Amino acid sequence: MMDPRQLFIDERHTGMCVYCGGHPDTRDHVPSKVLLDEPYPPELPVVGACERCNASFSLDEEYLACFLDCVICGGAETFDMHRPIVKRILEEKPALRYRIERARKGDAADNLVWDPEADRVRNVILKLARGHAAYELYPKLEKPSIVGFALLQALSDDQRSAFEQVAGGDKIGWCPEIGSRAFQRAFGKSPDRLPLSRGWVMFQPDRYRYSVTEKGGVRVRMVLSEYLACEVKWES
């Protein structure tokens, strides 16, 4: 049986950090464990990464995981946290908790509004997208044409429908590189025991799902905690 962690296309990526192109001193989980709950799915996907890149994203990933749970819970009180890992991080790092609390504001109508550190969020989204692109197809080191995110519930019906509709159901005119994981998923086969639903890789129910398509360029979509919709695209 083919080992999904060692497909022949991966040989082109050896000796390469998928984030910067440097020498891969380490391997990085995609997605990062801080965005998931235990027990983790079997055979967590990994990609090659240099030690510098692997370490440089950690604080921003931690921030995004904590920020999302605080927004969903409506505050930064640790006893309200849904996720044990977030509760632990905020208890161990009061400065981070205070930083997130400062992002909670009220508007003129006294509605609760959260103001994220957008650069940190984009940094994590782009990092995740590069990792997924490398794992499913091939590394994308160049600058993408789109790096966007929005609240899933804030999308209009048309926007939500367009976002949820990922390529892959129609095989004609869309065929990822033969032998890639994306190719196998396009034909309804899972190369790594991760379940598929309507073109989405359901990494962890209600916590993390993603899709990688190659039609008019490489497009990666992710949904974090069924709350934050993300998209990164590289034009062909």
PDB file of all heavy atoms in Angstrom, residues 188-205:
ATOM      1  N   GLY A 188     -12.348  11.306  -4.725  1.00  0.00           N
ATOM      2  CA  GLY A 188     -13.047  10.744  -3.584  1.00  0.00           C
ATOM      3  C   GLY A 188     -12.253   9.770  -2.747  1.00  0.00           C
ATOM      4  O   GLY A 188     -12.833   9.054  -1.919  1.00  0.00           O
ATOM      5  N   LYS A 189     -10.935   9.734  -2.910  1.00  0.00           N
ATOM      6  CA  LYS A 189     -10.100   8.811  -2.142  1.00  0.00           C
ATOM      7  C   LYS A 189      -9.254   9.596  -1.149  1.00  0.00           C
ATOM      8  O   LYS A 189      -8.695  10.623  -1.475  1.00  0.00           O
ATOM      9  CB  LYS A 189      -9.203   7.999  -3.079  1.00  0.00           C
ATOM     10  CG  LYS A 189      -9.984   7.151  -4.081  1.00  0.00           C
ATOM     11  CD  LYS A 189      -9.053   6.310  -4.916  1.00  0.00           C
ATOM     12  CE  LYS A 189      -9.825   5.494  -5.953  1.00  0.00           C
ATOM     13  NZ  LYS A 189     -10.773   4.558  -5.333  1.00  0.00           N
ATOM     14  N   SER A 190      -9.173   9.076   0.073  1.00  0.00           N
ATOM     15  CA  SER A 190      -8.378   9.743   1.097  1.00  0.00           C
ATOM     16  C   SER A 190      -7.035   9.049   1.222  1.00  0.00           C
ATOM     17  O   SER A 190      -6.977   7.858   1.534  1.00  0.00           O
ATOM     18  CB  SER A 190      -9.101   9.715   2.450  1.00  0.00           C
ATOM     19  OG  SER A 190      -8.293  10.288   3.459  1.00  0.00           O
ATOM     20  N   PRO A 191      -5.925   9.754   0.986  1.00  0.00           N
ATOM     21  CA  PRO A 191      -4.606   9.121   1.068  1.00  0.00           C
ATOM     22  C   PRO A 191      -4.078   8.989   2.490  1.00  0.00           C
ATOM     23  O   PRO A 191      -3.019   8.416   2.693  1.00  0.00           O
ATOM     24  CB  PRO A 191      -3.727  10.077   0.251  1.00  0.00           C
ATOM     25  CG  PRO A 191      -4.364  11.403   0.449  1.00  0.00           C
ATOM     26  CD  PRO A 191      -5.850  11.145   0.522  1.00  0.00           C
ATOM     27  N   ASP A 192      -4.795   9.518   3.473  1.00  0.00           N
ATOM     28  CA  ASP A 192      -4.238   9.538   4.828  1.00  0.00           C
ATOM     29  C   ASP A 192      -5.289   9.370   5.928  1.00  0.00           C
ATOM     30  O   ASP A 192      -5.108   9.833   7.044  1.00  0.00           O
ATOM     31  CB  ASP A 192      -3.482  10.849   5.066  1.00  0.00           C
ATOM     32  CG  ASP A 192      -4.284  12.064   4.614  1.00  0.00           C
ATOM     33  OD1 ASP A 192      -5.523  11.955   4.461  1.00  0.00           O
ATOM     34  OD2 ASP A 192      -3.681  13.125   4.399  1.00  0.00           O
ATOM     35  N   ARG A 193      -6.399   8.747   5.609  1.00  0.00           N
ATOM     36  CA  ARG A 193      -7.462   8.452   6.585  1.00  0.00           C
ATOM     37  C   ARG A 193      -8.188   9.693   7.084  1.00  0.00           C
ATOM     38  O   ARG A 193      -8.960   9.631   8.038  1.00  0.00           O
ATOM     39  CB  ARG A 193      -6.919   7.655   7.786  1.00  0.00           C
ATOM     40  CG  ARG A 193      -6.444   6.265   7.428  1.00  0.00           C
ATOM     41  CD  ARG A 193      -6.274   5.407   8.659  1.00  0.00           C
ATOM     42  NE  ARG A 193      -5.101   5.788   9.422  1.00  0.00           N
ATOM     43  CZ  ARG A 193      -4.830   5.328  10.643  1.00  0.00           C
ATOM     44  NH1 ARG A 193      -5.673   4.503  11.235  1.00  0.00           N
ATOM     45  NH2 ARG A 193      -3.736   5.695  11.267  1.00  0.00           N
ATOM     46  N   LEU A 194      -7.969  10.841   6.465  1.00  0.00           N
ATOM     47  CA  LEU A 194      -8.723  12.038   6.810  1.00  0.00           C
ATOM     48  C   LEU A 194     -10.015  12.036   6.006  1.00  0.00           C
ATOM     49  O   LEU A 194      -9.987  11.900   4.783  1.00  0.00           O
ATOM     50  CB  LEU A 194      -7.917  13.305   6.514  1.00  0.00           C
ATOM     51  CG  LEU A 194      -6.673  13.535   7.373  1.00  0.00           C
ATOM     52  CD1 LEU A 194      -5.879  14.730   6.863  1.00  0.00           C
ATOM     53  CD2 LEU A 194      -7.049  13.737   8.844  1.00  0.00           C
ATOM     54  N   PRO A 195     -11.176  12.158   6.662  1.00  0.00           N
ATOM     55  CA  PRO A 195     -12.453  12.077   5.934  1.00  0.00           C
ATOM     56  C   PRO A 195     -12.666  13.257   5.001  1.00  0.00           C
ATOM     57  O   PRO A 195     -12.167  14.360   5.238  1.00  0.00           O
ATOM     58  CB  PRO A 195     -13.494  12.057   7.066  1.00  0.00           C
ATOM     59  CG  PRO A 195     -12.814  12.691   8.235  1.00  0.00           C
ATOM     60  CD  PRO A 195     -11.361  12.325   8.115  1.00  0.00           C
ATOM     61  N   LEU A 196     -13.419  13.023   3.941  1.00  0.00           N
ATOM     62  CA  LEU A 196     -13.733  14.038   2.945  1.00  0.00           C
ATOM     63  C   LEU A 196     -15.230  14.320   2.962  1.00  0.00           C
ATOM     64  O   LEU A 196     -16.040  13.422   3.187  1.00  0.00           O
ATOM     65  CB  LEU A 196     -13.331  13.577   1.552  1.00  0.00           C
ATOM     66  CG  LEU A 196     -11.867  13.171   1.349  1.00  0.00           C
ATOM     67  CD1 LEU A 196     -11.675  12.602  -0.054  1.00  0.00           C
ATOM     68  CD2 LEU A 196     -10.949  14.351   1.573  1.00  0.00           C
ATOM     69  N   SER A 197     -15.583  15.586   2.706  1.00  0.00           N
ATOM     70  CA  SER A 197     -16.986  15.967   2.611  1.00  0.00           C
ATOM     71  C   SER A 197     -17.119  17.115   1.621  1.00  0.00           C
ATOM     72  O   SER A 197     -16.631  18.219   1.869  1.00  0.00           O
ATOM     73  CB  SER A 197     -17.532  16.394   3.983  1.00  0.00           C
ATOM     74  OG  SER A 197     -18.881  16.833   3.881  1.00  0.00           O
ATOM     75  N   ARG A 198     -17.744  16.849   0.471  1.00  0.00           N
ATOM     76  CA  ARG A 198     -18.013  17.870  -0.541  1.00  0.00           C
ATOM     77  C   ARG A 198     -16.739  18.621  -0.957  1.00  0.00           C
ATOM     78  O   ARG A 198     -16.751  19.814  -1.166  1.00  0.00           O
ATOM     79  CB  ARG A 198     -19.075  18.850  -0.051  1.00  0.00           C
ATOM     80  CG  ARG A 198     -20.426  18.219   0.209  1.00  0.00           C
ATOM     81  CD  ARG A 198     -21.415  19.187   0.820  1.00  0.00           C
ATOM     82  NE  ARG A 198     -21.057  19.520   2.185  1.00  0.00           N
ATOM     83  CZ  ARG A 198     -20.631  20.710   2.558  1.00  0.00           C
ATOM     84  NH1 ARG A 198     -20.507  21.691   1.674  1.00  0.00           N
ATOM     85  NH2 ARG A 198     -20.341  20.936   3.821  1.00  0.00           N
ATOM     86  N   GLY A 199     -15.636  17.887  -1.056  1.00  0.00           N
ATOM     87  CA  GLY A 199     -14.383  18.496  -1.477  1.00  0.00           C
ATOM     88  C   GLY A 199     -13.525  19.025  -0.338  1.00  0.00           C
ATOM     89  O   GLY A 199     -12.386  19.417  -0.560  1.00  0.00           O
ATOM     90  N   TRP A 200     -14.062  19.035   0.858  1.00  0.00           N
ATOM     91  CA  TRP A 200     -13.321  19.511   2.034  1.00  0.00           C
ATOM     92  C   TRP A 200     -12.651  18.336   2.739  1.00  0.00           C
ATOM     93  O   TRP A 200     -13.238  17.265   2.880  1.00  0.00           O
ATOM     94  CB  TRP A 200     -14.249  20.213   3.024  1.00  0.00           C
ATOM     95  CG  TRP A 200     -14.762  21.536   2.547  1.00  0.00           C
ATOM     96  CD1 TRP A 200     -15.875  21.762   1.792  1.00  0.00           C
ATOM     97  CD2 TRP A 200     -14.182  22.817   2.807  1.00  0.00           C
ATOM     98  NE1 TRP A 200     -16.027  23.111   1.562  1.00  0.00           N
ATOM     99  CE2 TRP A 200     -15.005  23.781   2.166  1.00  0.00           C
ATOM    100  CE3 TRP A 200     -13.060  23.240   3.514  1.00  0.00           C
ATOM    101  CZ2 TRP A 200     -14.731  25.146   2.220  1.00  0.00           C
ATOM    102  CZ3 TRP A 200     -12.784  24.597   3.556  1.00  0.00           C
ATOM    103  CH2 TRP A 200     -13.599  25.541   2.924  1.00  0.00           C
ATOM    104  N   VAL A 201     -11.429  18.563   3.215  1.00  0.00           N
ATOM    105  CA  VAL A 201     -10.765  17.613   4.101  1.00  0.00           C
ATOM    106  C   VAL A 201     -11.211  17.966   5.519  1.00  0.00           C
ATOM    107  O   VAL A 201     -10.883  19.038   6.037  1.00  0.00           O
ATOM    108  CB  VAL A 201      -9.230  17.703   3.981  1.00  0.00           C
ATOM    109  CG1 VAL A 201      -8.570  16.701   4.916  1.00  0.00           C
ATOM    110  CG2 VAL A 201      -8.781  17.461   2.538  1.00  0.00           C
ATOM    111  N   MET A 202     -11.996  17.075   6.122  1.00  0.00           N
ATOM    112  CA  MET A 202     -12.561  17.341   7.452  1.00  0.00           C
ATOM    113  C   MET A 202     -11.544  16.911   8.506  1.00  0.00           C
ATOM    114  O   MET A 202     -11.617  15.816   9.060  1.00  0.00           O
ATOM    115  CB  MET A 202     -13.885  16.610   7.615  1.00  0.00           C
ATOM    116  CG  MET A 202     -14.888  16.890   6.494  1.00  0.00           C
ATOM    117  SD  MET A 202     -15.263  18.646   6.283  1.00  0.00           S
ATOM    118  CE  MET A 202     -16.206  18.959   7.783  1.00  0.00           C
ATOM    119  N   PHE A 203     -10.594  17.786   8.747  1.00  0.00           N
ATOM    120  CA  PHE A 203      -9.459  17.425   9.590  1.00  0.00           C
ATOM    121  C   PHE A 203      -9.900  17.083  11.012  1.00  0.00           C
ATOM    122  O   PHE A 203      -9.467  16.091  11.590  1.00  0.00           O
ATOM    123  CB  PHE A 203      -8.446  18.574   9.615  1.00  0.00           C
ATOM    124  CG  PHE A 203      -7.062  18.126   9.956  1.00  0.00           C
ATOM    125  CD1 PHE A 203      -6.173  17.769   8.959  1.00  0.00           C
ATOM    126  CD2 PHE A 203      -6.658  18.048  11.278  1.00  0.00           C
ATOM    127  CE1 PHE A 203      -4.899  17.342   9.277  1.00  0.00           C
ATOM    128  CE2 PHE A 203      -5.391  17.623  11.601  1.00  0.00           C
ATOM    129  CZ  PHE A 203      -4.507  17.254  10.597  1.00  0.00           C
ATOM    130  N   GLN A 204     -10.748  17.913  11.573  1.00  0.00           N
ATOM    131  CA  GLN A 204     -11.290  17.654  12.911  1.00  0.00           C
ATOM    132  C   GLN A 204     -12.657  18.319  12.995  1.00  0.00           C
ATOM    133  O   GLN A 204     -12.754  19.535  12.812  1.00  0.00           O
ATOM    134  CB  GLN A 204     -10.352  18.184  13.998  1.00  0.00           C
ATOM    135  CG  GLN A 204     -10.597  17.601  15.378  1.00  0.00           C
ATOM    136  CD  GLN A 204      -9.483  17.949  16.359  1.00  0.00           C
ATOM    137  OE1 GLN A 204      -9.242  19.123  16.642  1.00  0.00           O
ATOM    138  NE2 GLN A 204      -8.811  16.937  16.878  1.00  0.00           N
ATOM    139  N   PRO A 205     -13.713  17.546  13.241  1.00  0.00           N
ATOM    140  CA  PRO A 205     -15.071  18.112  13.225  1.00  0.00           C
ATOM    141  C   PRO A 205     -15.191  19.339  14.125  1.00  0.00           C
ATOM    142  O   PRO A 205     -14.741  19.330  15.274  1.00  0.00           O
ATOM    143  CB  PRO A 205     -15.931  16.951  13.738  1.00  0.00           C
ATOM    144  CG  PRO A 205     -15.157  15.724  13.381  1.00  0.00           C
ATOM    145  CD  PRO A 205     -13.713  16.107  13.535  1.00  0.00           C
TER     146      PRO A 205
END
